[in-house]
Amino acid sequence: MLFFLVSCFSFILLLSKSWKSTMGDISNIWFCEDFLKFLASWFRKGRNTISYLNLPLMKKHVESKLENVEKKEDEISLLDLPDLTLECIFERLPPNGLCSMAAVCSYLREKCTSDHLWEKHMKEKWGALIGSAAYREWQCYIASRNNDSLLENSRKKRDLLGKFSEIRKFLWNRSKGNEDNSKVRSSSAIMDWYLSLESGTFWFSAQVFNRENGHVGFTLSCYDAEVSYDCNTNTFRARYPSQGRRIVEENIEWNRLRAPTVDTPPYVLHVSDCLSDLKPDDHFEIQWRKSKEFAYGWWYGVVGHLESCNGNKLNCHCHSSDTVLLEFKQYTPGSRWRQIVINRKEHREVGNEADGFYGGIRKLYSDKEISLWKSLCPSSTLE
């Protein structure tokens, strides 16, 4: 079309020159000039028409360019980031984020399952509840699980059908291609421990305050138990040892749990190493059990003044006496549960079937522990 217009324009110019030379008529010249203006106007409209007709093509071309740019931007991978940047990202991810990231590829799995990332999460959530006893139990749990795996592998080697099953499984896994890459295989012992705790598959030793939840008489007591976590309710289950059978309690809140403070098993008398240091107003925990068939629980109390002392701190000599008065102030004065006197030098288990048996003593030095016990004190004294 452009070629056609240029040809017409050249022809009109030649025609106008011919008319000027032959006729010299001013009116003809005016006519030619007016006709040329018309052509110029039509040519401008033709250009706009051409542009309008080419607009979809231009739009499609621009969109194609933008798509190419977006594709190039999409090609930028997380793996292209520097290691230091990746580490900063991983350190800010929650546990479920690390697990999701570890399922992407083998490189990210190696990064996201490293111990130093999971140590922080382990300490933040489980540090106050996991003690040395729970760690030993975890080691035994891992060893037992590995032994079971070895025995299973040994059995399968002897079992021809099992061998064919393994071959079939191997071929099936190969046919699935990269699907197995989406499964997280934990290479971190700490991550494995965290996930076992989170899922509730691992039961561990802990101590539960107020075992008879709702019974005010047990408010200032703490009993050993095996507990497991329920992530759906954010509470715990506890199994208490009791005369050859286990009593189970559900829906135990976090604030009723603590890590065992000593390594003494619940049926064993704790060796008291603080008797010579006990003096009035000291805080302590003492083992107590109803009868010798029951496990010990730990009960909170405060050292009191002996009857021979007037309670004046300036004239008090209770700390130099061979006997120590242990007081449980949650009970009213005169109650048989209010006080007990023990021998400082020869204390072992003392008591009877009527009042129960008092065992080893542990002195409390931590203000945090003392504040926790005080926060559990009932609002009124008990008989």
Side-chain angles (χ1 to χ4, degrees):
M1 181 179 289
L2 181 62
F3 178 77
F4 172 76
L5 292 174
V6 171
S7 301
C8 290
F9 183 71
S10 302
F11 174 77
I12 296 301
L13 287 176
L14 291 174
L15 183 62
S16 64
K17 289 180 179 180
S18 175
W19 283 352
K20 285 180 181 180
S21 60
T22 56
M23 300 182 66
D25 192 344
I26 297 175
S27 62
N28 288 338
I29 294 174
W30 174 85
F31 172 78
C32 290
E33 289 177 351
D34 190 58
F35 185 74
L36 288 175
K37 290 180 181 179
F38 167 77
L39 287 178
S41 175
W42 184 86
F43 180 73
R44 284 196 297 270
K45 292 181 179 179
R47 287 183 60 186
N48 293 336
T49 304
I50 294 171
S51 300
Y52 176 78
L53 293 175
N54 289 337
L55 182 60
L57 296 176
M58 294 175 63
K59 182 179 180 182
K60 184 176 181 181
H61 179 70
V62 172
E63 289 177 349
S64 176
K65 290 289 186 180
L66 291 175
E67 288 177 0
N68 291 335
V69 171
E70 290 176 355
K71 288 181 179 179
K72 289 182 179 179
E73 291 178 351
D74 291 341
E75 291 175 359
I76 299 175
S77 170
L78 181 68
L79 302 179
D80 297 329
L81 297 175
D83 288 343
L84 182 59
T85 305
L86 284 175
E87 287 294 325
C88 292
I89 294 173
F90 296 153
E91 287 177 356
R92 287 163 174 78
L93 288 178
N96 58 344
L98 287 175
C99 290
S100 299
M101 192 69 71
V104 174
C105 64
S106 58
Y107 177 78
L108 291 180
R109 180 166 63 246
E110 181 181 356
K111 292 289 186 181
C112 293
T113 58
S114 58
D115 282 346
H116 79 278
L117 291 176
W118 286 92
E119 282 176 355
K120 179 187 71 172
H121 297 298
M122 191 72 181
K123 184 177 180 180
E124 286 179 355
K125 184 163 187 178
W126 300 101
L129 196 54
I130 297 298
S132 57
Y135 179 76
R136 290 193 299 268
E137 290 164 0
W138 170 249
Q139 296 299 319
C140 293
Y141 177 81
I142 291 296
S144 175
R145 191 171 63 180
N146 292 338
N147 289 337
D148 291 343
S149 178
L150 291 173
L151 290 173
E152 181 67 15
N153 290 336
S154 177
R155 184 190 65 79
K156 287 183 178 180
K157 288 179 180 179
R158 296 192 302 268
D159 185 354
L160 185 60
L161 182 60
K163 189 65 176 178
F164 283 131
S165 177
E166 286 296 311
I167 294 173
R168 183 178 63 182
K169 181 179 178 182
F170 173 74
L171 294 175
W172 171 250
N173 287 339
R174 289 196 62 182
S175 68
K176 289 193 296 181
N178 294 330
E179 289 183 9
D180 282 349
N181 290 334
S182 64
K183 298 177 182 178
V184 178
R185 295 177 177 86
S186 172
S187 61
S188 166
I190 299 179
M191 175 183 175
D192 193 12
W193 192 8
Y194 183 97
L195 296 180
S196 295
L197 289 167
E198 190 77 14
S199 64
T201 57
F202 176 60
W203 291 73
F204 59 95
S205 293
Q207 292 181 335
V208 184
F209 292 102
N210 191 7
R211 168 178 167 173
E212 302 290 336
N213 190 23
H215 191 303
V216 291
F218 281 78
T219 302
L220 296 182
S221 66
C222 192
Y223 278 81
D224 290 274
E226 289 182 340
V227 302
S228 70
Y229 180 63
D230 184 355
C231 62
N232 295 320
T233 60
N234 193 29
T235 59
F236 292 84
R237 299 173 291 266
R239 300 188 300 212
Y240 302 104
S242 179
Q243 293 181 312
R245 63 187 181 91
R246 295 185 182 275
I247 300 175
V248 179
E249 183 183 357
E250 304 279 348
N251 301 319
I252 300 173
E253 302 288 342
W254 281 83
N255 58 2
R256 289 183 55 206
L257 294 175
R258 74 174 182 182
T261 54
V262 295
D263 290 333
T264 307
Y267 283 95
V268 177
L269 179 70
H270 176 67
V271 178
S272 307
D273 57 358
C274 61
L275 295 177
S276 59
D277 297 331
L278 292 177
K279 60 184 183 299
D281 298 327
D282 281 345
H283 301 262
F284 67 88
E285 295 175 7
I286 187 170
Q287 288 177 312
W288 182 87
R289 58 182 173 179
K290 184 177 180 180
S291 69
K292 294 193 176 182
E293 288 76 24
F294 285 86
Y296 284 111
W298 290 92
W299 292 71
Y300 168 73
V302 180
V303 178
H305 292 273
L306 297 170
E307 291 184 359
S308 58
C309 179
N310 60 8
N312 189 330
K313 293 183 178 180
L314 297 176
N315 299 321
C316 178
H317 299 284
C318 293
H319 61 279
S320 59
S321 173
D322 290 341
T323 57
V324 181
L325 186 144
L326 306 179
E327 196 164 21
F328 306 93
K329 295 184 178 181
Q330 68 267 34
Y331 296 100
T332 58
S335 169
R336 62 174 180 165
W337 308 108
R338 174 79 179 198
Q339 297 177 343
I340 183 176
V341 178
I342 63 169
N343 189 293
R344 190 190 296 270
K345 295 181 178 179
E346 299 176 357
H347 173 67
R348 299 289 293 174
E349 185 182 60
V350 295
N352 52 60
E353 293 292 337
D355 298 331
F357 296 87
Y358 296 86
I361 300 174
R362 172 178 172 263
K363 182 178 177 179
L364 302 181
Y365 297 94
S366 169
D367 292 336
K368 184 177 180 180
E369 282 188 293
I370 296 171
S371 297
L372 177 58
W373 280 113
K374 286 182 175 180
S375 68
L376 298 174
C377 288
S379 56
S380 59
T381 56
L382 309 173
E383 295 294 335

PDB file of all heavy atoms in Angstrom, residues 342-356:
ATOM      1  N   ILE A 342      12.948 -34.880 111.752  1.00  0.00           N
ATOM      2  CA  ILE A 342      13.871 -35.933 111.318  1.00  0.00           C
ATOM      3  C   ILE A 342      15.218 -35.733 111.976  1.00  0.00           C
ATOM      4  O   ILE A 342      15.540 -34.639 112.474  1.00  0.00           O
ATOM      5  CB  ILE A 342      14.034 -35.948 109.782  1.00  0.00           C
ATOM      6  CG1 ILE A 342      14.667 -34.626 109.316  1.00  0.00           C
ATOM      7  CG2 ILE A 342      12.709 -36.192 109.086  1.00  0.00           C
ATOM      8  CD1 ILE A 342      15.115 -34.645 107.862  1.00  0.00           C
ATOM      9  N   ASN A 343      16.017 -36.779 111.979  1.00  0.00           N
ATOM     10  CA  ASN A 343      17.367 -36.716 112.521  1.00  0.00           C
ATOM     11  C   ASN A 343      18.322 -36.254 111.425  1.00  0.00           C
ATOM     12  O   ASN A 343      18.381 -36.857 110.346  1.00  0.00           O
ATOM     13  CB  ASN A 343      17.787 -38.089 113.068  1.00  0.00           C
ATOM     14  CG  ASN A 343      19.100 -38.021 113.827  1.00  0.00           C
ATOM     15  OD1 ASN A 343      20.140 -37.764 113.254  1.00  0.00           O
ATOM     16  ND2 ASN A 343      19.035 -38.254 115.146  1.00  0.00           N
ATOM     17  N   ARG A 344      19.041 -35.206 111.722  1.00  0.00           N
ATOM     18  CA  ARG A 344      19.923 -34.616 110.720  1.00  0.00           C
ATOM     19  C   ARG A 344      21.059 -35.562 110.317  1.00  0.00           C
ATOM     20  O   ARG A 344      21.489 -35.582 109.161  1.00  0.00           O
ATOM     21  CB  ARG A 344      20.494 -33.305 111.262  1.00  0.00           C
ATOM     22  CG  ARG A 344      21.242 -32.461 110.221  1.00  0.00           C
ATOM     23  CD  ARG A 344      21.976 -31.315 110.910  1.00  0.00           C
ATOM     24  NE  ARG A 344      21.063 -30.389 111.548  1.00  0.00           N
ATOM     25  CZ  ARG A 344      20.529 -29.314 110.974  1.00  0.00           C
ATOM     26  NH1 ARG A 344      20.796 -29.057 109.711  1.00  0.00           N
ATOM     27  NH2 ARG A 344      19.720 -28.508 111.635  1.00  0.00           N
ATOM     28  N   LYS A 345      21.547 -36.354 111.263  1.00  0.00           N
ATOM     29  CA  LYS A 345      22.732 -37.179 111.008  1.00  0.00           C
ATOM     30  C   LYS A 345      22.404 -38.594 110.553  1.00  0.00           C
ATOM     31  O   LYS A 345      23.187 -39.216 109.852  1.00  0.00           O
ATOM     32  CB  LYS A 345      23.599 -37.229 112.274  1.00  0.00           C
ATOM     33  CG  LYS A 345      24.180 -35.874 112.673  1.00  0.00           C
ATOM     34  CD  LYS A 345      25.056 -36.002 113.921  1.00  0.00           C
ATOM     35  CE  LYS A 345      25.676 -34.668 114.302  1.00  0.00           C
ATOM     36  NZ  LYS A 345      26.524 -34.782 115.530  1.00  0.00           N
ATOM     37  N   GLU A 346      21.260 -39.099 110.951  1.00  0.00           N
ATOM     38  CA  GLU A 346      20.963 -40.497 110.676  1.00  0.00           C
ATOM     39  C   GLU A 346      19.658 -40.676 109.885  1.00  0.00           C
ATOM     40  O   GLU A 346      19.033 -41.728 109.939  1.00  0.00           O
ATOM     41  CB  GLU A 346      20.854 -41.281 111.993  1.00  0.00           C
ATOM     42  CG  GLU A 346      22.130 -41.260 112.810  1.00  0.00           C
ATOM     43  CD  GLU A 346      21.962 -41.972 114.151  1.00  0.00           C
ATOM     44  OE1 GLU A 346      20.818 -42.428 114.428  1.00  0.00           O
ATOM     45  OE2 GLU A 346      22.944 -42.067 114.904  1.00  0.00           O
ATOM     46  N   HIS A 347      19.293 -39.682 109.146  1.00  0.00           N
ATOM     47  CA  HIS A 347      18.003 -39.773 108.447  1.00  0.00           C
ATOM     48  C   HIS A 347      18.039 -40.787 107.311  1.00  0.00           C
ATOM     49  O   HIS A 347      18.935 -40.769 106.465  1.00  0.00           O
ATOM     50  CB  HIS A 347      17.601 -38.415 107.883  1.00  0.00           C
ATOM     51  CG  HIS A 347      16.372 -38.472 107.022  1.00  0.00           C
ATOM     52  ND1 HIS A 347      15.126 -38.768 107.532  1.00  0.00           N
ATOM     53  CD2 HIS A 347      16.206 -38.289 105.684  1.00  0.00           C
ATOM     54  CE1 HIS A 347      14.239 -38.753 106.554  1.00  0.00           C
ATOM     55  NE2 HIS A 347      14.868 -38.457 105.420  1.00  0.00           N
ATOM     56  N   ARG A 348      17.072 -41.673 107.331  1.00  0.00           N
ATOM     57  CA  ARG A 348      16.771 -42.573 106.219  1.00  0.00           C
ATOM     58  C   ARG A 348      15.280 -42.425 105.930  1.00  0.00           C
ATOM     59  O   ARG A 348      14.755 -41.319 106.015  1.00  0.00           O
ATOM     60  CB  ARG A 348      17.134 -44.021 106.590  1.00  0.00           C
ATOM     61  CG  ARG A 348      18.621 -44.254 106.908  1.00  0.00           C
ATOM     62  CD  ARG A 348      19.473 -44.163 105.665  1.00  0.00           C
ATOM     63  NE  ARG A 348      19.189 -45.261 104.737  1.00  0.00           N
ATOM     64  CZ  ARG A 348      19.730 -45.348 103.522  1.00  0.00           C
ATOM     65  NH1 ARG A 348      20.538 -44.404 103.081  1.00  0.00           N
ATOM     66  NH2 ARG A 348      19.437 -46.374 102.744  1.00  0.00           N
ATOM     67  N   GLU A 349      14.620 -43.480 105.592  1.00  0.00           N
ATOM     68  CA  GLU A 349      13.171 -43.417 105.446  1.00  0.00           C
ATOM     69  C   GLU A 349      12.514 -43.565 106.812  1.00  0.00           C
ATOM     70  O   GLU A 349      12.848 -44.471 107.576  1.00  0.00           O
ATOM     71  CB  GLU A 349      12.685 -44.533 104.509  1.00  0.00           C
ATOM     72  CG  GLU A 349      11.186 -44.450 104.218  1.00  0.00           C
ATOM     73  CD  GLU A 349      10.718 -45.581 103.328  1.00  0.00           C
ATOM     74  OE1 GLU A 349      10.872 -46.755 103.726  1.00  0.00           O
ATOM     75  OE2 GLU A 349      10.190 -45.304 102.232  1.00  0.00           O
ATOM     76  N   VAL A 350      11.573 -42.654 107.115  1.00  0.00           N
ATOM     77  CA  VAL A 350      10.864 -42.710 108.389  1.00  0.00           C
ATOM     78  C   VAL A 350       9.363 -42.608 108.126  1.00  0.00           C
ATOM     79  O   VAL A 350       8.928 -42.022 107.128  1.00  0.00           O
ATOM     80  CB  VAL A 350      11.292 -41.564 109.328  1.00  0.00           C
ATOM     81  CG1 VAL A 350      12.763 -41.695 109.723  1.00  0.00           C
ATOM     82  CG2 VAL A 350      11.043 -40.199 108.684  1.00  0.00           C
ATOM     83  N   GLY A 351       8.569 -43.208 109.032  1.00  0.00           N
ATOM     84  CA  GLY A 351       7.120 -43.112 108.906  1.00  0.00           C
ATOM     85  C   GLY A 351       6.444 -44.418 109.251  1.00  0.00           C
ATOM     86  O   GLY A 351       7.047 -45.335 109.829  1.00  0.00           O
ATOM     87  N   ASN A 352       5.167 -44.508 108.899  1.00  0.00           N
ATOM     88  CA  ASN A 352       4.381 -45.703 109.184  1.00  0.00           C
ATOM     89  C   ASN A 352       3.264 -45.817 108.154  1.00  0.00           C
ATOM     90  O   ASN A 352       3.066 -44.920 107.330  1.00  0.00           O
ATOM     91  CB  ASN A 352       3.819 -45.647 110.607  1.00  0.00           C
ATOM     92  CG  ASN A 352       3.092 -44.355 110.884  1.00  0.00           C
ATOM     93  OD1 ASN A 352       2.107 -44.026 110.218  1.00  0.00           O
ATOM     94  ND2 ASN A 352       3.583 -43.576 111.865  1.00  0.00           N
ATOM     95  N   GLU A 353       2.495 -46.896 108.238  1.00  0.00           N
ATOM     96  CA  GLU A 353       1.432 -47.146 107.271  1.00  0.00           C
ATOM     97  C   GLU A 353       0.278 -46.144 107.397  1.00  0.00           C
ATOM     98  O   GLU A 353      -0.454 -45.919 106.444  1.00  0.00           O
ATOM     99  CB  GLU A 353       0.885 -48.570 107.444  1.00  0.00           C
ATOM    100  CG  GLU A 353       1.879 -49.662 107.075  1.00  0.00           C
ATOM    101  CD  GLU A 353       2.199 -49.710 105.591  1.00  0.00           C
ATOM    102  OE1 GLU A 353       1.359 -49.217 104.797  1.00  0.00           O
ATOM    103  OE2 GLU A 353       3.267 -50.209 105.215  1.00  0.00           O
ATOM    104  N   ALA A 354       0.146 -45.550 108.571  1.00  0.00           N
ATOM    105  CA  ALA A 354      -0.944 -44.588 108.777  1.00  0.00           C
ATOM    106  C   ALA A 354      -0.619 -43.219 108.175  1.00  0.00           C
ATOM    107  O   ALA A 354      -1.463 -42.588 107.525  1.00  0.00           O
ATOM    108  CB  ALA A 354      -1.238 -44.454 110.260  1.00  0.00           C
ATOM    109  N   ASP A 355       0.602 -42.743 108.404  1.00  0.00           N
ATOM    110  CA  ASP A 355       0.989 -41.405 107.974  1.00  0.00           C
ATOM    111  C   ASP A 355       1.854 -41.404 106.719  1.00  0.00           C
ATOM    112  O   ASP A 355       2.224 -40.334 106.221  1.00  0.00           O
ATOM    113  CB  ASP A 355       1.731 -40.684 109.087  1.00  0.00           C
ATOM    114  CG  ASP A 355       0.865 -40.492 110.319  1.00  0.00           C
ATOM    115  OD1 ASP A 355      -0.372 -40.395 110.155  1.00  0.00           O
ATOM    116  OD2 ASP A 355       1.423 -40.432 111.436  1.00  0.00           O
ATOM    117  N   GLY A 356       2.191 -42.566 106.224  1.00  0.00           N
ATOM    118  CA  GLY A 356       3.061 -42.646 105.056  1.00  0.00           C
ATOM    119  C   GLY A 356       4.528 -42.622 105.439  1.00  0.00           C
ATOM    120  O   GLY A 356       4.890 -42.527 106.627  1.00  0.00           O
TER     121      GLY A 356
END
